[in-house]
mmCIF file with all atom_site columns, all heavy atoms in Angstrom:
data_model
loop_
_atom_site.group_PDB
_atom_site.id
_atom_site.type_symbol
_atom_site.label_atom_id
_atom_site.label_alt_id
_atom_site.label_comp_id
_atom_site.label_asym_id
_atom_site.label_entity_id
_atom_site.label_seq_id
_atom_site.pdbx_PDB_ins_code
_atom_site.Cartn_x
_atom_site.Cartn_y
_atom_site.Cartn_z
_atom_site.occupancy
_atom_site.B_iso_or_equiv
_atom_site.pdbx_formal_charge
_atom_site.auth_seq_id
_atom_site.auth_comp_id
_atom_site.auth_asym_id
_atom_site.auth_atom_id
_atom_site.pdbx_PDB_model_num
ATOM 1   N N   . SER A 1 1  ? -15.708 1.551  -13.797 1.00 98.00 ? 331 SER A N   1
ATOM 2   C CA  . SER A 1 1  ? -14.809 1.656  -14.946 1.00 98.00 ? 331 SER A CA  1
ATOM 3   C C   . SER A 1 1  ? -15.644 1.701  -16.218 1.00 98.00 ? 331 SER A C   1
ATOM 4   O O   . SER A 1 1  ? -16.866 1.576  -16.191 1.00 98.00 ? 331 SER A O   1
ATOM 5   C CB  . SER A 1 1  ? -13.878 0.444  -14.979 1.00 98.00 ? 331 SER A CB  1
ATOM 6   O OG  . SER A 1 1  ? -14.628 -0.731 -15.291 1.00 98.00 ? 331 SER A OG  1
ATOM 7   N N   . ASP A 1 2  ? -14.964 1.854  -17.347 1.00 97.00 ? 332 ASP A N   1
ATOM 8   C CA  . ASP A 1 2  ? -15.661 1.848  -18.636 1.00 97.00 ? 332 ASP A CA  1
ATOM 9   C C   . ASP A 1 2  ? -16.472 0.575  -18.822 1.00 97.00 ? 332 ASP A C   1
ATOM 10  O O   . ASP A 1 2  ? -17.585 0.603  -19.345 1.00 97.00 ? 332 ASP A O   1
ATOM 11  C CB  . ASP A 1 2  ? -14.648 1.970  -19.787 1.00 97.00 ? 332 ASP A CB  1
ATOM 12  C CG  . ASP A 1 2  ? -14.030 3.360  -19.874 1.00 97.00 ? 332 ASP A CG  1
ATOM 13  O OD1 . ASP A 1 2  ? -14.587 4.294  -19.253 1.00 97.00 ? 332 ASP A OD1 1
ATOM 14  O OD2 . ASP A 1 2  ? -12.997 3.514  -20.552 1.00 97.00 ? 332 ASP A OD2 1
ATOM 15  N N   . ALA A 1 3  ? -15.911 -0.562 -18.376 1.00 95.00 ? 333 ALA A N   1
ATOM 16  C CA  . ALA A 1 3  ? -16.587 -1.850 -18.569 1.00 95.00 ? 333 ALA A CA  1
ATOM 17  C C   . ALA A 1 3  ? -17.840 -1.974 -17.718 1.00 95.00 ? 333 ALA A C   1
ATOM 18  O O   . ALA A 1 3  ? -18.723 -2.777 -18.021 1.00 95.00 ? 333 ALA A O   1
ATOM 19  C CB  . ALA A 1 3  ? -15.629 -3.002 -18.263 1.00 95.00 ? 333 ALA A CB  1
ATOM 20  N N   . ASP A 1 4  ? -17.927 -1.204 -16.630 1.00 97.00 ? 334 ASP A N   1
ATOM 21  C CA  . ASP A 1 4  ? -19.036 -1.342 -15.674 1.00 97.00 ? 334 ASP A CA  1
ATOM 22  C C   . ASP A 1 4  ? -20.018 -0.172 -15.713 1.00 97.00 ? 334 ASP A C   1
ATOM 23  O O   . ASP A 1 4  ? -20.789 0.027  -14.770 1.00 97.00 ? 334 ASP A O   1
ATOM 24  C CB  . ASP A 1 4  ? -18.482 -1.476 -14.249 1.00 97.00 ? 334 ASP A CB  1
ATOM 25  C CG  . ASP A 1 4  ? -17.926 -2.855 -13.968 1.00 97.00 ? 334 ASP A CG  1
ATOM 26  O OD1 . ASP A 1 4  ? -18.354 -3.801 -14.643 1.00 97.00 ? 334 ASP A OD1 1
ATOM 27  O OD2 . ASP A 1 4  ? -17.064 -2.979 -13.084 1.00 97.00 ? 334 ASP A OD2 1
ATOM 28  N N   . ARG A 1 5  ? -20.013 0.577  -16.800 1.00 96.00 ? 335 ARG A N   1
ATOM 29  C CA  . ARG A 1 5  ? -20.834 1.793  -16.864 1.00 96.00 ? 335 ARG A CA  1
ATOM 30  C C   . ARG A 1 5  ? -22.311 1.514  -16.557 1.00 96.00 ? 335 ARG A C   1
ATOM 31  O O   . ARG A 1 5  ? -22.993 2.322  -15.941 1.00 96.00 ? 335 ARG A O   1
ATOM 32  C CB  . ARG A 1 5  ? -20.686 2.434  -18.243 1.00 96.00 ? 335 ARG A CB  1
ATOM 33  C CG  . ARG A 1 5  ? -21.314 3.816  -18.357 1.00 96.00 ? 335 ARG A CG  1
ATOM 34  C CD  . ARG A 1 5  ? -20.980 4.442  -19.703 1.00 96.00 ? 335 ARG A CD  1
ATOM 35  N NE  . ARG A 1 5  ? -19.561 4.650  -19.861 1.00 96.00 ? 335 ARG A NE  1
ATOM 36  C CZ  . ARG A 1 5  ? -18.894 5.709  -19.413 1.00 96.00 ? 335 ARG A CZ  1
ATOM 37  N NH1 . ARG A 1 5  ? -19.547 6.659  -18.755 1.00 96.00 ? 335 ARG A NH1 1
ATOM 38  N NH2 . ARG A 1 5  ? -17.599 5.828  -19.613 1.00 96.00 ? 335 ARG A NH2 1
ATOM 39  N N   . HIS A 1 6  ? -22.818 0.357  -16.987 1.00 95.00 ? 336 HIS A N   1
ATOM 40  C CA  . HIS A 1 6  ? -24.232 0.035  -16.791 1.00 95.00 ? 336 HIS A CA  1
ATOM 41  C C   . HIS A 1 6  ? -24.427 -1.139 -15.829 1.00 95.00 ? 336 HIS A C   1
ATOM 42  O O   . HIS A 1 6  ? -25.465 -1.802 -15.849 1.00 95.00 ? 336 HIS A O   1
ATOM 43  C CB  . HIS A 1 6  ? -24.883 -0.282 -18.136 1.00 95.00 ? 336 HIS A CB  1
ATOM 44  C CG  . HIS A 1 6  ? -24.751 0.820  -19.145 1.00 95.00 ? 336 HIS A CG  1
ATOM 45  N ND1 . HIS A 1 6  ? -25.368 2.040  -18.995 1.00 95.00 ? 336 HIS A ND1 1
ATOM 46  C CD2 . HIS A 1 6  ? -24.031 0.886  -20.303 1.00 95.00 ? 336 HIS A CD2 1
ATOM 47  C CE1 . HIS A 1 6  ? -25.063 2.812  -20.024 1.00 95.00 ? 336 HIS A CE1 1
ATOM 48  N NE2 . HIS A 1 6  ? -24.255 2.148  -20.824 1.00 95.00 ? 336 HIS A NE2 1
ATOM 49  N N   . ALA A 1 7  ? -23.439 -1.397 -14.982 1.00 97.00 ? 337 ALA A N   1
ATOM 50  C CA  . ALA A 1 7  ? -23.497 -2.535 -14.056 1.00 97.00 ? 337 ALA A CA  1
ATOM 51  C C   . ALA A 1 7  ? -24.508 -2.276 -12.937 1.00 97.00 ? 337 ALA A C   1
ATOM 52  O O   . ALA A 1 7  ? -24.825 -1.123 -12.609 1.00 97.00 ? 337 ALA A O   1
ATOM 53  C CB  . ALA A 1 7  ? -22.117 -2.798 -13.469 1.00 97.00 ? 337 ALA A CB  1
ATOM 54  N N   . PRO A 1 8  ? -25.031 -3.345 -12.320 1.00 97.00 ? 338 PRO A N   1
ATOM 55  C CA  . PRO A 1 8  ? -26.035 -3.183 -11.260 1.00 97.00 ? 338 PRO A CA  1
ATOM 56  C C   . PRO A 1 8  ? -25.589 -2.305 -10.095 1.00 97.00 ? 338 PRO A C   1
ATOM 57  O O   . PRO A 1 8  ? -26.400 -1.554 -9.540  1.00 97.00 ? 338 PRO A O   1
ATOM 58  C CB  . PRO A 1 8  ? -26.287 -4.629 -10.811 1.00 97.00 ? 338 PRO A CB  1
ATOM 59  C CG  . PRO A 1 8  ? -26.022 -5.440 -12.033 1.00 97.00 ? 338 PRO A CG  1
ATOM 60  C CD  . PRO A 1 8  ? -24.864 -4.761 -12.705 1.00 97.00 ? 338 PRO A CD  1
ATOM 61  N N   . HIS A 1 9  ? -24.323 -2.402 -9.694  1.00 98.00 ? 339 HIS A N   1
ATOM 62  C CA  . HIS A 1 9  ? -23.905 -1.602 -8.537  1.00 98.00 ? 339 HIS A CA  1
ATOM 63  C C   . HIS A 1 9  ? -23.952 -0.109 -8.849  1.00 98.00 ? 339 HIS A C   1
ATOM 64  O O   . HIS A 1 9  ? -24.157 0.716  -7.950  1.00 98.00 ? 339 HIS A O   1
ATOM 65  C CB  . HIS A 1 9  ? -22.519 -2.032 -8.042  1.00 98.00 ? 339 HIS A CB  1
ATOM 66  C CG  . HIS A 1 9  ? -21.354 -1.535 -8.842  1.00 98.00 ? 339 HIS A CG  1
ATOM 67  N ND1 . HIS A 1 9  ? -20.968 -2.113 -10.041 1.00 98.00 ? 339 HIS A ND1 1
ATOM 68  C CD2 . HIS A 1 9  ? -20.476 -0.524 -8.625  1.00 98.00 ? 339 HIS A CD2 1
ATOM 69  C CE1 . HIS A 1 9  ? -19.912 -1.487 -10.513 1.00 98.00 ? 339 HIS A CE1 1
ATOM 70  N NE2 . HIS A 1 9  ? -19.594 -0.520 -9.672  1.00 98.00 ? 339 HIS A NE2 1
ATOM 71  N N   . VAL A 1 10 ? -23.788 0.251  -10.109 1.00 98.00 ? 340 VAL A N   1
ATOM 72  C CA  . VAL A 1 10 ? -23.874 1.658  -10.509 1.00 98.00 ? 340 VAL A CA  1
ATOM 73  C C   . VAL A 1 10 ? -25.323 2.137  -10.439 1.00 98.00 ? 340 VAL A C   1
ATOM 74  O O   . VAL A 1 10 ? -25.617 3.232  -9.961  1.00 98.00 ? 340 VAL A O   1
ATOM 75  C CB  . VAL A 1 10 ? -23.295 1.845  -11.928 1.00 98.00 ? 340 VAL A CB  1
ATOM 76  C CG1 . VAL A 1 10 ? -23.446 3.289  -12.391 1.00 98.00 ? 340 VAL A CG1 1
ATOM 77  C CG2 . VAL A 1 10 ? -21.825 1.428  -11.958 1.00 98.00 ? 340 VAL A CG2 1
ATOM 78  N N   . LYS A 1 11 ? -26.246 1.287  -10.905 1.00 97.00 ? 341 LYS A N   1
ATOM 79  C CA  . LYS A 1 11 ? -27.659 1.641  -10.896 1.00 97.00 ? 341 LYS A CA  1
ATOM 80  C C   . LYS A 1 11 ? -28.201 1.746  -9.472  1.00 97.00 ? 341 LYS A C   1
ATOM 81  O O   . LYS A 1 11 ? -29.091 2.562  -9.191  1.00 97.00 ? 341 LYS A O   1
ATOM 82  C CB  . LYS A 1 11 ? -28.460 0.589  -11.673 1.00 97.00 ? 341 LYS A CB  1
ATOM 83  C CG  . LYS A 1 11 ? -28.039 0.423  -13.126 1.00 97.00 ? 341 LYS A CG  1
ATOM 84  C CD  . LYS A 1 11 ? -28.327 1.661  -13.948 1.00 97.00 ? 341 LYS A CD  1
ATOM 85  C CE  . LYS A 1 11 ? -27.980 1.440  -15.410 1.00 97.00 ? 341 LYS A CE  1
ATOM 86  N NZ  . LYS A 1 11 ? -28.202 2.675  -16.216 1.00 97.00 ? 341 LYS A NZ  1
ATOM 87  N N   . LEU A 1 12 ? -27.686 0.921  -8.566  1.00 98.00 ? 342 LEU A N   1
ATOM 88  C CA  . LEU A 1 12 ? -28.196 0.890  -7.200  1.00 98.00 ? 342 LEU A CA  1
ATOM 89  C C   . LEU A 1 12 ? -27.723 2.077  -6.374  1.00 98.00 ? 342 LEU A C   1
ATOM 90  O O   . LEU A 1 12 ? -28.389 2.483  -5.419  1.00 98.00 ? 342 LEU A O   1
ATOM 91  C CB  . LEU A 1 12 ? -27.770 -0.422 -6.525  1.00 98.00 ? 342 LEU A CB  1
ATOM 92  C CG  . LEU A 1 12 ? -28.284 -0.699 -5.124  1.00 98.00 ? 342 LEU A CG  1
ATOM 93  C CD1 . LEU A 1 12 ? -29.809 -0.835 -5.126  1.00 98.00 ? 342 LEU A CD1 1
ATOM 94  C CD2 . LEU A 1 12 ? -27.652 -1.977 -4.562  1.00 98.00 ? 342 LEU A CD2 1
ATOM 95  N N   . ALA A 1 13 ? -26.589 2.659  -6.737  1.00 98.00 ? 343 ALA A N   1
ATOM 96  C CA  . ALA A 1 13 ? -25.984 3.718  -5.933  1.00 98.00 ? 343 ALA A CA  1
ATOM 97  C C   . ALA A 1 13 ? -26.766 5.031  -6.027  1.00 98.00 ? 343 ALA A C   1
ATOM 98  O O   . ALA A 1 13 ? -27.459 5.299  -7.008  1.00 98.00 ? 343 ALA A O   1
ATOM 99  C CB  . ALA A 1 13 ? -24.539 3.947  -6.382  1.00 98.00 ? 343 ALA A CB  1
ATOM 100 N N   . ASP A 1 14 ? -26.624 5.849  -4.993  1.00 98.00 ? 344 ASP A N   1
ATOM 101 C CA  . ASP A 1 14 ? -27.207 7.188  -5.026  1.00 98.00 ? 344 ASP A CA  1
ATOM 102 C C   . ASP A 1 14 ? -26.407 8.118  -5.932  1.00 98.00 ? 344 ASP A C   1
ATOM 103 O O   . ASP A 1 14 ? -26.947 9.066  -6.495  1.00 98.00 ? 344 ASP A O   1
ATOM 104 C CB  . ASP A 1 14 ? -27.242 7.765  -3.604  1.00 98.00 ? 344 ASP A CB  1
ATOM 105 C CG  . ASP A 1 14 ? -28.093 6.920  -2.673  1.00 98.00 ? 344 ASP A CG  1
ATOM 106 O OD1 . ASP A 1 14 ? -29.322 6.946  -2.822  1.00 98.00 ? 344 ASP A OD1 1
ATOM 107 O OD2 . ASP A 1 14 ? -27.517 6.220  -1.816  1.00 98.00 ? 344 ASP A OD2 1
ATOM 108 N N   . LYS A 1 15 ? -25.121 7.826  -6.045  1.00 98.00 ? 345 LYS A N   1
ATOM 109 C CA  . LYS A 1 15 ? -24.236 8.608  -6.904  1.00 98.00 ? 345 LYS A CA  1
ATOM 110 C C   . LYS A 1 15 ? -23.146 7.679  -7.412  1.00 98.00 ? 345 LYS A C   1
ATOM 111 O O   . LYS A 1 15 ? -22.732 6.759  -6.694  1.00 98.00 ? 345 LYS A O   1
ATOM 112 C CB  . LYS A 1 15 ? -23.623 9.772  -6.120  1.00 98.00 ? 345 LYS A CB  1
ATOM 113 C CG  . LYS A 1 15 ? -22.769 10.721 -6.938  1.00 98.00 ? 345 LYS A CG  1
ATOM 114 C CD  . LYS A 1 15 ? -22.165 11.818 -6.064  1.00 98.00 ? 345 LYS A CD  1
ATOM 115 C CE  . LYS A 1 15 ? -23.238 12.739 -5.510  1.00 98.00 ? 345 LYS A CE  1
ATOM 116 N NZ  . LYS A 1 15 ? -22.630 13.890 -4.769  1.00 98.00 ? 345 LYS A NZ  1
ATOM 117 N N   . ALA A 1 16 ? -22.687 7.895  -8.634  1.00 98.00 ? 346 ALA A N   1
ATOM 118 C CA  . ALA A 1 16 ? -21.646 7.043  -9.201  1.00 98.00 ? 346 ALA A CA  1
ATOM 119 C C   . ALA A 1 16 ? -20.568 7.912  -9.837  1.00 98.00 ? 346 ALA A C   1
ATOM 120 O O   . ALA A 1 16 ? -20.871 8.917  -10.490 1.00 98.00 ? 346 ALA A O   1
ATOM 121 C CB  . ALA A 1 16 ? -22.225 6.084  -10.236 1.00 98.00 ? 346 ALA A CB  1
ATOM 122 N N   . VAL A 1 17 ? -19.317 7.507  -9.633  1.00 98.00 ? 347 VAL A N   1
ATOM 123 C CA  . VAL A 1 17 ? -18.175 8.274  -10.140 1.00 98.00 ? 347 VAL A CA  1
ATOM 124 C C   . VAL A 1 17 ? -17.345 7.388  -11.053 1.00 98.00 ? 347 VAL A C   1
ATOM 125 O O   . VAL A 1 17 ? -16.934 6.289  -10.667 1.00 98.00 ? 347 VAL A O   1
ATOM 126 C CB  . VAL A 1 17 ? -17.298 8.791  -8.974  1.00 98.00 ? 347 VAL A CB  1
ATOM 127 C CG1 . VAL A 1 17 ? -16.124 9.620  -9.515  1.00 98.00 ? 347 VAL A CG1 1
ATOM 128 C CG2 . VAL A 1 17 ? -18.125 9.617  -7.997  1.00 98.00 ? 347 VAL A CG2 1
ATOM 129 N N   . HIS A 1 18 ? -17.093 7.879  -12.258 1.00 98.00 ? 348 HIS A N   1
ATOM 130 C CA  . HIS A 1 18 ? -16.266 7.145  -13.218 1.00 98.00 ? 348 HIS A CA  1
ATOM 131 C C   . HIS A 1 18 ? -14.798 7.277  -12.814 1.00 98.00 ? 348 HIS A C   1
ATOM 132 O O   . HIS A 1 18 ? -14.315 8.379  -12.524 1.00 98.00 ? 348 HIS A O   1
ATOM 133 C CB  . HIS A 1 18 ? -16.486 7.710  -14.624 1.00 98.00 ? 348 HIS A CB  1
ATOM 134 C CG  . HIS A 1 18 ? -15.652 7.050  -15.671 1.00 98.00 ? 348 HIS A CG  1
ATOM 135 N ND1 . HIS A 1 18 ? -14.604 7.691  -16.310 1.00 98.00 ? 348 HIS A ND1 1
ATOM 136 C CD2 . HIS A 1 18 ? -15.704 5.798  -16.187 1.00 98.00 ? 348 HIS A CD2 1
ATOM 137 C CE1 . HIS A 1 18 ? -14.066 6.856  -17.184 1.00 98.00 ? 348 HIS A CE1 1
ATOM 138 N NE2 . HIS A 1 18 ? -14.712 5.710  -17.125 1.00 98.00 ? 348 HIS A NE2 1
ATOM 139 N N   . VAL A 1 19 ? -14.067 6.136  -12.798 1.00 98.00 ? 349 VAL A N   1
ATOM 140 C CA  . VAL A 1 19 ? -12.674 6.174  -12.343 1.00 98.00 ? 349 VAL A CA  1
ATOM 141 C C   . VAL A 1 19 ? -11.671 5.659  -13.374 1.00 98.00 ? 349 VAL A C   1
ATOM 142 O O   . VAL A 1 19 ? -10.495 5.503  -13.046 1.00 98.00 ? 349 VAL A O   1
ATOM 143 C CB  . VAL A 1 19 ? -12.498 5.388  -11.017 1.00 98.00 ? 349 VAL A CB  1
ATOM 144 C CG1 . VAL A 1 19 ? -13.138 6.134  -9.865  1.00 98.00 ? 349 VAL A CG1 1
ATOM 145 C CG2 . VAL A 1 19 ? -13.042 3.975  -11.131 1.00 98.00 ? 349 VAL A CG2 1
ATOM 146 N N   . GLY A 1 20 ? -12.107 5.392  -14.612 1.00 97.00 ? 350 GLY A N   1
ATOM 147 C CA  . GLY A 1 20 ? -11.107 5.027  -15.596 1.00 97.00 ? 350 GLY A CA  1
ATOM 148 C C   . GLY A 1 20 ? -11.502 3.899  -16.515 1.00 97.00 ? 350 GLY A C   1
ATOM 149 O O   . GLY A 1 20 ? -12.657 3.451  -16.529 1.00 97.00 ? 350 GLY A O   1
ATOM 150 N N   . PRO A 1 21 ? -10.547 3.405  -17.290 1.00 96.00 ? 351 PRO A N   1
ATOM 151 C CA  . PRO A 1 21 ? -10.803 2.328  -18.251 1.00 96.00 ? 351 PRO A CA  1
ATOM 152 C C   . PRO A 1 21 ? -11.026 0.992  -17.562 1.00 96.00 ? 351 PRO A C   1
ATOM 153 O O   . PRO A 1 21 ? -10.968 0.890  -16.329 1.00 96.00 ? 351 PRO A O   1
ATOM 154 C CB  . PRO A 1 21 ? -9.529  2.314  -19.099 1.00 96.00 ? 351 PRO A CB  1
ATOM 155 C CG  . PRO A 1 21 ? -8.473  2.868  -18.202 1.00 96.00 ? 351 PRO A CG  1
ATOM 156 C CD  . PRO A 1 21 ? -9.154  3.883  -17.348 1.00 96.00 ? 351 PRO A CD  1
ATOM 157 N N   . ALA A 1 22 ? -11.277 -0.047 -18.372 1.00 95.00 ? 352 ALA A N   1
ATOM 158 C CA  . ALA A 1 22 ? -11.600 -1.365 -17.819 1.00 95.00 ? 352 ALA A CA  1
ATOM 159 C C   . ALA A 1 22 ? -10.467 -1.938 -16.981 1.00 95.00 ? 352 ALA A C   1
ATOM 160 O O   . ALA A 1 22 ? -10.713 -2.627 -15.990 1.00 95.00 ? 352 ALA A O   1
ATOM 161 C CB  . ALA A 1 22 ? -11.958 -2.324 -18.951 1.00 95.00 ? 352 ALA A CB  1
ATOM 162 N N   . ALA A 1 23 ? -9.233  -1.685 -17.363 1.00 93.00 ? 353 ALA A N   1
ATOM 163 C CA  . ALA A 1 23 ? -8.092  -2.252 -16.641 1.00 93.00 ? 353 ALA A CA  1
ATOM 164 C C   . ALA A 1 23 ? -8.151  -1.852 -15.169 1.00 93.00 ? 353 ALA A C   1
ATOM 165 O O   . ALA A 1 23 ? -8.193  -0.661 -14.838 1.00 93.00 ? 353 ALA A O   1
ATOM 166 C CB  . ALA A 1 23 ? -6.784  -1.780 -17.269 1.00 93.00 ? 353 ALA A CB  1
ATOM 167 N N   . ALA A 1 24 ? -8.142  -2.837 -14.276 1.00 94.00 ? 354 ALA A N   1
ATOM 168 C CA  . ALA A 1 24 ? -8.285  -2.563 -12.844 1.00 94.00 ? 354 ALA A CA  1
ATOM 169 C C   . ALA A 1 24 ? -7.196  -1.646 -12.319 1.00 94.00 ? 354 ALA A C   1
ATOM 170 O O   . ALA A 1 24 ? -7.437  -0.799 -11.451 1.00 94.00 ? 354 ALA A O   1
ATOM 171 C CB  . ALA A 1 24 ? -8.301  -3.872 -12.067 1.00 94.00 ? 354 ALA A CB  1
ATOM 172 N N   . ALA A 1 25 ? -5.975  -1.799 -12.843 1.00 93.00 ? 355 ALA A N   1
ATOM 173 C CA  . ALA A 1 25 ? -4.856  -0.983 -12.365 1.00 93.00 ? 355 ALA A CA  1
ATOM 174 C C   . ALA A 1 25 ? -5.086  0.496  -12.630 1.00 93.00 ? 355 ALA A C   1
ATOM 175 O O   . ALA A 1 25 ? -4.531  1.359  -11.933 1.00 93.00 ? 355 ALA A O   1
ATOM 176 C CB  . ALA A 1 25 ? -3.555  -1.437 -13.030 1.00 93.00 ? 355 ALA A CB  1
ATOM 177 N N   . GLN A 1 26 ? -5.913  0.802  -13.630 1.00 96.00 ? 356 GLN A N   1
ATOM 178 C CA  . GLN A 1 26 ? -6.179  2.197  -13.981 1.00 96.00 ? 356 GLN A CA  1
ATOM 179 C C   . GLN A 1 26 ? -7.536  2.677  -13.482 1.00 96.00 ? 356 GLN A C   1
ATOM 180 O O   . GLN A 1 26 ? -7.966  3.770  -13.811 1.00 96.00 ? 356 GLN A O   1
ATOM 181 C CB  . GLN A 1 26 ? -6.108  2.360  -15.502 1.00 96.00 ? 356 GLN A CB  1
ATOM 182 C CG  . GLN A 1 26 ? -4.763  1.980  -16.104 1.00 96.00 ? 356 GLN A CG  1
ATOM 183 C CD  . GLN A 1 26 ? -4.797  1.984  -17.625 1.00 96.00 ? 356 GLN A CD  1
ATOM 184 O OE1 . GLN A 1 26 ? -5.250  2.944  -18.236 1.00 96.00 ? 356 GLN A OE1 1
ATOM 185 N NE2 . GLN A 1 26 ? -4.336  0.905  -18.231 1.00 96.00 ? 356 GLN A NE2 1
ATOM 186 N N   . SER A 1 27 ? -8.204  1.855  -12.685 1.00 97.00 ? 357 SER A N   1
ATOM 187 C CA  . SER A 1 27 ? -9.522  2.248  -12.181 1.00 97.00 ? 357 SER A CA  1
ATOM 188 C C   . SER A 1 27 ? -9.680  1.836  -10.716 1.00 97.00 ? 357 SER A C   1
ATOM 189 O O   . SER A 1 27 ? -9.362  2.604  -9.812  1.00 97.00 ? 357 SER A O   1
ATOM 190 C CB  . SER A 1 27 ? -10.627 1.648  -13.060 1.00 97.00 ? 357 SER A CB  1
ATOM 191 O OG  . SER A 1 27 ? -10.467 0.247  -13.225 1.00 97.00 ? 357 SER A OG  1
ATOM 192 N N   . TYR A 1 28 ? -10.127 0.609  -10.475 1.00 97.00 ? 358 TYR A N   1
ATOM 193 C CA  . TYR A 1 28 ? -10.430 0.175  -9.114  1.00 97.00 ? 358 TYR A CA  1
ATOM 194 C C   . TYR A 1 28 ? -9.199  0.077  -8.206  1.00 97.00 ? 358 TYR A C   1
ATOM 195 O O   . TYR A 1 28 ? -9.328  0.141  -6.984  1.00 97.00 ? 358 TYR A O   1
ATOM 196 C CB  . TYR A 1 28 ? -11.151 -1.172 -9.144  1.00 97.00 ? 358 TYR A CB  1
ATOM 197 C CG  . TYR A 1 28 ? -12.494 -1.127 -9.830  1.00 97.00 ? 358 TYR A CG  1
ATOM 198 C CD1 . TYR A 1 28 ? -12.670 -1.653 -11.100 1.00 97.00 ? 358 TYR A CD1 1
ATOM 199 C CD2 . TYR A 1 28 ? -13.591 -0.541 -9.204  1.00 97.00 ? 358 TYR A CD2 1
ATOM 200 C CE1 . TYR A 1 28 ? -13.910 -1.612 -11.738 1.00 97.00 ? 358 TYR A CE1 1
ATOM 201 C CE2 . TYR A 1 28 ? -14.833 -0.487 -9.824  1.00 97.00 ? 358 TYR A CE2 1
ATOM 202 C CZ  . TYR A 1 28 ? -14.984 -1.022 -11.097 1.00 97.00 ? 358 TYR A CZ  1
ATOM 203 O OH  . TYR A 1 28 ? -16.207 -0.969 -11.721 1.00 97.00 ? 358 TYR A OH  1
ATOM 204 N N   . LEU A 1 29 ? -8.029  -0.071 -8.790  1.00 97.00 ? 359 LEU A N   1
ATOM 205 C CA  . LEU A 1 29 ? -6.804  -0.182 -7.991  1.00 97.00 ? 359 LEU A CA  1
ATOM 206 C C   . LEU A 1 29 ? -6.021  1.128  -7.913  1.00 97.00 ? 359 LEU A C   1
ATOM 207 O O   . LEU A 1 29 ? -4.962  1.175  -7.295  1.00 97.00 ? 359 LEU A O   1
ATOM 208 C CB  . LEU A 1 29 ? -5.899  -1.279 -8.566  1.00 97.00 ? 359 LEU A CB  1
ATOM 209 C CG  . LEU A 1 29 ? -6.356  -2.722 -8.331  1.00 97.00 ? 359 LEU A CG  1
ATOM 210 C CD1 . LEU A 1 29 ? -5.526  -3.690 -9.153  1.00 97.00 ? 359 LEU A CD1 1
ATOM 211 C CD2 . LEU A 1 29 ? -6.271  -3.079 -6.859  1.00 97.00 ? 359 LEU A CD2 1
ATOM 212 N N   . ASP A 1 30 ? -6.527  2.178  -8.542  1.00 97.00 ? 360 ASP A N   1
ATOM 213 C CA  . ASP A 1 30 ? -5.835  3.463  -8.557  1.00 97.00 ? 360 ASP A CA  1
ATOM 214 C C   . ASP A 1 30 ? -6.222  4.257  -7.307  1.00 97.00 ? 360 ASP A C   1
ATOM 215 O O   . ASP A 1 30 ? -7.324  4.804  -7.213  1.00 97.00 ? 360 ASP A O   1
ATOM 216 C CB  . ASP A 1 30 ? -6.203  4.237  -9.824  1.00 97.00 ? 360 ASP A CB  1
ATOM 217 C CG  . ASP A 1 30 ? -5.327  5.470  -10.035 1.00 97.00 ? 360 ASP A CG  1
ATOM 218 O OD1 . ASP A 1 30 ? -5.090  6.197  -9.055  1.00 97.00 ? 360 ASP A OD1 1
ATOM 219 O OD2 . ASP A 1 30 ? -4.899  5.696  -11.184 1.00 97.00 ? 360 ASP A OD2 1
ATOM 220 N N   . ILE A 1 31 ? -5.321  4.299  -6.341  1.00 98.00 ? 361 ILE A N   1
ATOM 221 C CA  . ILE A 1 31 ? -5.608  4.935  -5.054  1.00 98.00 ? 361 ILE A CA  1
ATOM 222 C C   . ILE A 1 31 ? -5.980  6.400  -5.230  1.00 98.00 ? 361 ILE A C   1
ATOM 223 O O   . ILE A 1 31 ? -6.927  6.903  -4.610  1.00 98.00 ? 361 ILE A O   1
ATOM 224 C CB  . ILE A 1 31 ? -4.415  4.783  -4.099  1.00 98.00 ? 361 ILE A CB  1
ATOM 225 C CG1 . ILE A 1 31 ? -4.244  3.308  -3.702  1.00 98.00 ? 361 ILE A CG1 1
ATOM 226 C CG2 . ILE A 1 31 ? -4.588  5.652  -2.857  1.00 98.00 ? 361 ILE A CG2 1
ATOM 227 C CD1 . ILE A 1 31 ? -3.032  3.035  -2.834  1.00 98.00 ? 361 ILE A CD1 1
#
């Protein structure tokens, strides 16, 4: 999400995809 743009899990991944704003309902919970 926007809040995690520079988070460790993003840096560790081979590829990272942005999925939305900080609100979980609009990012990590959006199927």
Side-chain angles (χ1 to χ4, degrees):
S331 69
D332 289 345
D334 283 336
R335 189 173 297 276
H336 303 293
H339 78 281
V340 177
K341 301 294 184 183
L342 184 64
D344 299 288
K345 185 182 294 186
V347 181
H348 178 250
V349 289
Q356 301 173 50
S357 52
Y358 297 105
L359 287 170
D360 190 316
I361 292 176

